[in-house]
Structure formats: C-alpha cells, structure tokens
Amino acid sequence: MSQNLNSTSFAVEQENRLIKTLARFDIVFFIIAAYISLDTIGTIAAGGIQALFWAAVIVLTFMLPNAFMMAETGSSFPEEGGPYQWVKFAFGRPLASIAAVLYWITNPLWLGGSLCFIAFESFNSYVHKLNARGAGEWLFKFAFIWISIGLAIISLKFGKKIINWAAIAKLFVLGMFVFTTAIYGIRNGFQPFDFKGMAPSISGFMAVAPIILFSYVGFEAPNAASGEMLDPKKDTAPAIRVGSIISALAYILPVLSILLVLPKKNVQGLEGYMSAVAQVFSVYGSFAKPLLTISAILFVYGLIGLGASWMMATDRIQAMAAADGSFFSGWFGEFNQKYGTPTRVNLLSGIMASIFLVAGMQLVKGNSGDIFKVVLSCAVSTLLVSYLLIIPAVMKLNRSFKNIDRPYKTPGGIRGFQIMGTVVFLYILIGSFGVI
C-alpha cells in the first residue's frame, strides 16, 4: 500500500486504546443483532407475495454473494474502521471520507426515526398505554435513543453482553412467532396463498428492492471493530457464514408467516409484525395477553440491540475516519482511554438522532405510519449510496492486493469475487435509484 495511505500517528494512538474482547460467538451475535432489522420485516411483508418471492431470490443472488465478499475482505484487511479503511486503500482518503459519512449518518437518522417509532408503537399497543403525541411519547423515544447510545459508549467488554442477549431475544420472538403461526394455521386455517402473485415483474421488484437491499446489507459491520476482535483473521469468515444462514431464515420465515395469517390489506410497515403476532397468539387463550406483552418487551429490546449495534459499528468507522484526518481534523477521532470507545462520535450520533426525532415529529405531516415511511426511505437511500463506494473498493482490493494473506477466499477465486461484486453493485445501483 502507498505510504501516504498509512494511518496517521493520532489514529495509531487511538488504536492502542482499543480493548480486544470480541470472540467468534460475539461476532455471530453482533451480526444477528445488527443484520436482522425487526423494523423492516413488516414493511417487506406489506409488499405481499411478490415481495416474498423477491426476498427469497435476493437472498441467493445478493445476500449470500455479499456475505462471501465481506468474509474475504474482512478477514484479509482486519483494520479498525473496516469499510473506511477499505475504501481508503482502494481509492484514497477523499472518497473514503465520503463513504464513511454516508454510512454513519444513516444510523442517527434511522435510530431517531423508524426504530424509535416502531418501538413506541409496539410498547404503547401491547405493554403500557402512553400519552401519544404527549410527554409519554417524547420521553419514551428520547430514552430509546439515549439507551442505545449509552450501550455504544460503555466498554465493548460489557456492551457486547447486552447486544448478545438482544440478539437472543430477537431470535426468540421471531422463532416463537413462526412456531405459533404453524399452530394457528392448523387450528384456524391460513390465508389463501396466491401463487400467481409470485410471478416476477419489474414493477414488483422496484417496489420492494430498496427495502430488501437495505435489510440485507451489513455483514461488514463487525469489521468496524476488527481491532477489538481476538482473532479477526480467523473468526470473521466463520462468523459471517453462520450469521448469514441465520439471517436469511430470520427474514424469509417471518415474512411468510405474516402473509399466511394477515390479509395483505391489513399488513402495514409500522405495525405489521406485531399485528400478526397478536393475531396468532390468540391460540394461547388466557395466556395470550401476558405472552404478547412479553413478546413486545423482547421486541423493543431487540430494537434497542439493533440500534446500539449499528451505532457501535458506524461510530467506530466515523471515529477512525476522523482520527485519520478525514473528518473535522481529528477531534471526533478520540477513543476514550477507559472504555476504548469513540465517545465523542457516540455523543454526536445521539444529538443527531435526537434532532432527527424532533424534525420527524414536528415537520413531517401525517400519522406515525407516515413519518415511519418517510424516515425509513431516507435511511435506505443514504446507506445504499455508501455501498456504491464500498463494493467497488472491495472489488479493487481483491484484484490489486493479490499478495495479501487471505484466510478465506470467495468461491471461484478472483473471477468469482469479481462476478459476485458486479451483481451486488448492480443491485445496489438499482436500489439506490429505486428510492428516489
């Protein structure tokens, strides 16, 4: 690599503050916590049978190839800051700084927008009634944001435990829903399955591709903390392999379950998942209400883990970019000496998320569902655009740095990697324009 692409002395100083704590199973749980977007499952299901078809096809033609590519790149270039470093090595600091900002800004917007909105609706509907549009809603949403930020601030040694349990909670509520749907269907029958509706169409693809692609990216997120992994070269690829299989099932099966129990007209992005849970839990009789309350609490906990894990990842990427001189001259690049976390960027993210929350509540006209859609669309667009730089970067690293030790190699070698990268890039390009 060119000498001028080496990290600055300040960046090296910050890397020395990192605490190595992530074992392989921690990386797997981190992927589950960050990758499975509970807030988008209902939105995908709202697209109906056509969306289910494309969700399955895109697993095979986008999710898995992307997982292969990130497994090879993450294990071959295990630097703290992951995607920022990859784009820097491939194209230089200017483009890397743009990629880092786009990748990072998505998450305060997402946290203060769709995540806290769907968390509030679930808590308000199934746990405890709060004063909608009043003090109760504001306090809940601000608490949701700053709890997530707090988990990103504390030492990863402790924060990872909460994230791991959030991943387990997420898998439990999804698994419980799929299991209960089978019982419900046996007792009450399923919705008619429209096989004709699965016939692929361009319009159907363009309607659901952006949200599916948004949901299916993120295998590189743990590599933001490569410097905090015990053995990133050895553990990255196996963790992504396990995480990708679990994630694929965690999207397809719940979407299918929602469509099997709810008429399409009743499936909504904001409440689609919990509405379906409420319906199928009726099979538990007198236990339905307490079980539904427990599921809603775990659902909210899973959303906190989702937001916190992405803040942990993207804040590290932005902090390393700052420490490397690519964002506000380094001030935001300092990692806390005690916790080994980028507290300045963490706090900036919390402030930005709070601003986005206030803007969404005050400026976007309509109900919570309308605000949820607007904010989610903005988050989808900024994140996908960042991959227009990240994907070409990992493709160039694969072509140009052939002497780098690669503990894991994508099936098909360099040619296979480039073919997969081209397909993934075209998907991202289409998805980015599809949001506009």
Side-chain angles (χ1 to χ4, degrees), residues 87-98:
V87 179
K88 183 182 75 171
F89 296 153
F91 303 127
R93 280 190 175 85
L95 288 180
S97 66
I98 294 172

Side-chain angles (χ1 to χ4, degrees), residues 182-377:
I183 299 175
Y184 179 90
I186 293 172
R187 290 188 180 182
N188 303 291
F190 295 112
Q191 290 292 318
F193 198 85
D194 181 17
F195 286 99
K196 292 183 178 179
M198 292 189 72
S201 67
I202 297 298
S203 60
F205 172 77
M206 293 303 296
V208 299
I211 191 63
I212 293 176
L213 295 172
F214 174 80
S215 302
Y216 285 4
V217 294
F219 287 121
E220 74 290 337
N223 284 108
S226 285
E228 295 154 270
M229 295 179 184
L230 298 179
D231 192 345
K233 283 185 169 291
K234 182 179 178 181
D235 293 337
T236 296
I240 290 178
R241 181 166 58 245
V242 174
S244 63
I245 295 171
I246 294 173
S247 298
L249 295 175
Y251 275 113
I252 299 300
L253 294 181
V255 169
L256 174 61
S257 297
I258 291 173
L259 295 175
L260 287 175
V261 298
L262 288 182
K264 183 179 182 299
K265 63 179 181 179
N266 293 343
V267 181
Q268 300 177 10
L270 183 59
E271 299 179 356
Y273 175 79
M274 285 306 301
S275 296
V277 172
Q279 181 157 330
V280 299
F281 271 33
S282 62
V283 301
Y284 296 121
S286 60
F287 293 101
K289 187 173 182 179
L291 286 174
L292 184 58
T293 299
I294 293 171
S295 291
I297 292 172
L298 293 176
F299 181 75
V300 172
Y301 179 31
L303 288 172
I304 290 174
L306 175 62
S309 58
W310 271 102
M311 295 311 336
M312 290 175 177
T314 58
D315 285 359
R316 280 167 167 78
I317 291 171
Q318 192 58 53
M320 288 309 302
D324 205 31
S326 297
F327 183 71
F328 283 99
S329 301
W331 190 84
F332 283 106
E334 183 162 339
F335 280 65
N336 186 277
Q337 286 186 320
K338 179 179 180 181
Y339 301 124
T341 56
T343 51
R344 291 178 178 178
V345 177
N346 294 148
L347 293 173
L348 176 62
S349 294
I351 293 170
M352 294 295 292
S354 299
I355 292 172
F356 288 135
L357 168 61
V358 173
M361 294 279 285
Q362 297 297 318
L363 300 180
V364 180
K365 296 181 180 180
N367 56 30
S368 295
D370 296 325
I371 299 172
F372 173 83
K373 291 176 183 177
V374 170
V375 175
L376 185 58
S377 294

Side-chain angles (χ1 to χ4, degrees), residues 18 26 50 215 271 278 290 313 317 348 358 382 395 397 408-409:
L18 302 176
D26 294 317
Q50 178 90 179
S215 302
E271 299 179 356
I317 291 171
L348 176 62
V358 173
T382 54
M395 293 175 67
L397 294 181
Y408 169 81
K409 293 185 179 180

Side-chain angles (χ1 to χ4, degrees), residues 20-211:
K20 287 190 173 291
T21 185
L22 293 177
R24 183 179 298 182
F25 71 92
D26 294 317
I27 303 171
V28 172
F29 282 128
F30 194 98
I31 291 171
I32 293 170
Y35 195 87
I36 304 171
S37 299
L38 292 174
D39 61 321
T40 62
I41 290 175
T43 304
I44 295 172
I49 298 299
Q50 178 90 179
L52 176 64
F53 170 82
W54 286 116
V57 169
I58 296 175
V59 163
L60 299 175
T61 57
F62 176 85
M63 178 193 285
L64 295 182
N66 191 41
F68 290 141
M69 294 164 56
M70 296 308 168
E72 177 174 330
T73 307
S75 58
S76 304
F77 299 88
E79 283 82 10
E80 184 81 5
Y84 165 75
Q85 305 284 12
W86 305 341
V87 179
K88 183 182 75 171
F89 296 153
F91 303 127
R93 280 190 175 85
L95 288 180
S97 66
I98 294 172
V101 168
L102 289 170
Y103 195 84
W104 163 71
I105 197 62
T106 296
N107 291 282
L109 171 61
W110 188 35
L111 180 66
S114 63
L115 287 187
C116 68
F117 275 82
I118 196 170
F120 173 77
E121 291 298 326
S122 300
F123 189 90
N124 190 51
S125 298
Y126 304 107
V127 180
H128 181 72
K129 204 73 176 176
L130 297 173
N131 184 13
R133 291 288 177 169
E137 181 173 357
W138 283 103
L139 287 173
F140 179 92
K141 289 180 176 178
F142 277 120
F144 181 91
I145 289 171
W146 286 100
I147 289 172
S148 300
I149 295 298
L151 292 176
I153 289 176
I154 63 175
S155 171
L156 192 58
K157 181 179 180 181
F158 300 104
K160 71 175 186 178
K161 297 177 182 178
I162 300 174
I163 295 301
N164 289 353
W165 281 109
I168 292 170
K170 182 184 296 187
L171 292 178
F172 177 81
V173 296
L174 292 173
M176 186 71 174
F177 171 54
V178 172
F179 172 74
T180 308
T181 297
I183 299 175
Y184 179 90
I186 293 172
R187 290 188 180 182
N188 303 291
F190 295 112
Q191 290 292 318
F193 198 85
D194 181 17
F195 286 99
K196 292 183 178 179
M198 292 189 72
S201 67
I202 297 298
S203 60
F205 172 77
M206 293 303 296
V208 299
I211 191 63

